[in-house]
Amino acid sequence: QINLVETGGGSVQVGGSLRLSCEISGHTTPSTCMGWFRQVPGKEREGVATIGSDGETSYAVAVKGRFTVSRDKAKNIMYLQMNNLQPEDTAMYYCAAVDLPGSWYVCSYYYDMNYWGKGTLVTISS
């Protein structure tokens, strides 16, 4: 069982930055894949970024070059640094995790998560 709690959301102006944090508790393993997702009311949830236990990352096209996912294993925290924020980044952001079902799976762009936080709201104003 993995528990996830997101913090760091808020309201910023266009071009601003925010850093989201996801505190991780419970049992993680070398097969644990983690990610950030976002959802706007009325739209499907979309994957934003993933990070594997080996540090390999992946990003959605819409955020590549502006967002950076990282993980501090010693502190059990995953981060999402978001720069040059745009109105279309406004959403509820969720962190998520899954234990990959086999060694042949890779975390990059793996979005079938089992564990979810409750979300933190990010609002970008122009």
Side-chain angles (χ1 to χ4, degrees):
Q1 180 72 25
I2 296 174
N3 295 307
L4 306 168
V5 178
E6 306 95 335
T7 56
S11 180
V12 297
Q13 292 190 324
V14 170
S17 297
L18 279 174
R19 187 176 79 160
L20 306 183
S21 298
C22 174
E23 293 189 33
I24 308 157
S25 60
H27 183 61
T28 60
T29 73
S31 68
T32 301
C33 172
M34 301 199 64
W36 287 97
F37 295 75
R38 65 186 183 186
Q39 188 170 23
V40 176
K43 293 190 176 181
E44 289 190 2
R45 185 169 53 203
E46 63 174 351
V48 174
T50 62
I51 184 165
S53 62
D54 58 359
E56 184 173 353
T57 59
S58 70
Y59 298 93
V61 171
V63 307
K64 202 165 188 177
R66 299 187 297 124
F67 290 12
T68 302
V69 61
S70 61
R71 185 175 168 189
D72 186 330
K73 289 186 176 180
K75 295 181 179 179
N76 280 337
I77 300 177
M78 178 177 65
Y79 300 100
L80 184 68
Q81 177 66 44
M82 306 185 295
N83 297 328
N84 190 22
L85 285 160
Q86 301 298 311
E88 54 267 32
D89 296 317
T90 295
M92 186 72 80
Y93 283 73
Y94 300 90
C95 69
V98 64
D99 287 324
L100 296 173
S103 59
W104 54 92
Y105 285 84
V106 294
C107 183
S108 293
Y109 302 106
Y110 191 95
Y111 294 158
D112 189 14
M113 301 291 179
N114 286 341
Y115 305 102
W116 294 88
K118 295 184 183 299
T120 185
L121 182 63
V122 172
T123 304
I124 312 305
S125 58
S126 56

